[in-house]
Amino acid sequence: MATEQPVTPTEEQLEILEYHFCKVNKHPDPTTLCLIVAETGLSEEQTLKWFKQRLAEWRKSEGLPSETGSVRD
């Protein structure tokens, strides 16, 4: 059984991911996600995993629980 090795995004891919996280949306919709995947060359799963981890980091830095649902009211 071949297991997929985790891919570390390149500096350019990280810049694209950070831009979208900070300037566009911390919770990308499916259309935006497709655009990010096309722009970075990462898989959808890798991109979603990066956003999930980055969101947890951001929530922790803001003093919020890392795994709590959205507080959009």
Side-chain angles (χ1 to χ4, degrees):
M1 270 188 186
T3 57
E4 194 175 312
Q5 294 294 319
V7 175
T8 303
T10 65
E11 194 66 36
E12 184 179 338
Q13 289 169 326
L14 285 173
E15 286 178 20
I16 294 166
L17 291 165
E18 281 290 337
Y19 170 81
H20 282 280
F21 184 83
C22 295
K23 304 283 188 201
V24 180
N25 194 341
K26 290 174 180 42
H27 305 276
D29 59 64
T31 304
T32 304
L33 183 63
C34 284
L35 294 172
I36 296 169
V37 166
E39 197 174 348
T40 61
L42 296 170
S43 72
E44 188 172 325
E45 292 79 22
Q46 292 166 323
T47 305
L48 284 171
K49 183 178 179 181
W50 184 90
F51 267 87
K52 183 178 180 182
Q53 291 173 336
R54 182 64 179 87
L55 184 61
E57 275 179 34
W58 176 81
R59 291 180 66 81
K60 185 176 180 182
S61 74
E62 295 292 312
L64 301 167
S66 64
E67 292 297 322
T68 304
S70 177
V71 290
R72 298 177 194 170
D73 288 329

